[in-house]
Amino acid sequence: MDLMGMMGKLKETQNKIEETKKRLDTVLVDEQSTDGLLKVTLTANRKVKSITIADELLEDKEQLEDYMILVLNKAIEKATKVNEAELDAVAKMDMPMIPGMDNLFK
C-alpha cells in the first residue's frame, strides 16, 4: 500500500472539497411561499442572500412568521441537498478507499 501516494491523494481531495465549498457560495437556491408573497434566496452553503416580503404580509405578523419558518426550512432543505450532492460527488470521485474513512465527509 503506497501510504505517501494515498496521503497526497487525500490532500488533493481536501483541496477539491474546499474549492467546492467556495463554489457553493455562488450557487443560489430560491424558494417561495405557494402564493409567492414571501421569497428567499440562499447559497448552497445555506447562507441567506435575500428575503422578499409582499406588503400584504406586513399586516399579519403571525402569518409572516409562519411563512418565514416554512419557506426558510424548505430553502435550507433544498440547499442542503445541493450541498451534500456536490460534496459527495467530489469525495467519491477522488477518495482512495480506505476502510473507515467514508464517514469523514458526512
Side-chain angles (χ1 to χ4, degrees), residues 9-50:
K9 191 87 171 130
L10 193 59
K11 186 83 189 125
E12 198 179 301
T13 301
Q14 285 173 328
N15 290 341
K16 283 187 180 170
I17 287 171
E18 286 311 308
E19 284 168 25
T20 302
K21 284 181 181 173
K22 280 189 191 117
R23 189 174 55 75
L24 289 173
D25 273 333
T26 66
V27 175
L28 299 180
V29 174
D30 295 309
E31 189 58 67
Q32 64 179 6
S33 57
T34 48
D35 56 14
L37 296 179
L38 178 74
K39 297 176 183 166
V40 299
T41 301
L42 271 60
T43 70
N45 281 328
R46 299 174 292 264
K47 299 268 186 290
V48 177
K49 292 300 269 187
S50 73

Side-chain angles (χ1 to χ4, degrees), residues 30-41 50-58 62-75:
D30 295 309
E31 189 58 67
Q32 64 179 6
S33 57
T34 48
D35 56 14
L37 296 179
L38 178 74
K39 297 176 183 166
V40 299
T41 301
S50 73
I51 297 177
T52 309
I53 301 167
D55 290 341
E56 59 251 51
L57 274 181
L58 298 177
E62 222 169 90
Q63 186 183 9
L64 175 56
E65 289 169 349
D66 289 346
Y67 272 41
M68 291 293 290
I69 291 166
L70 277 170
V71 176
L72 281 169
N73 280 334
K74 275 170 52 180

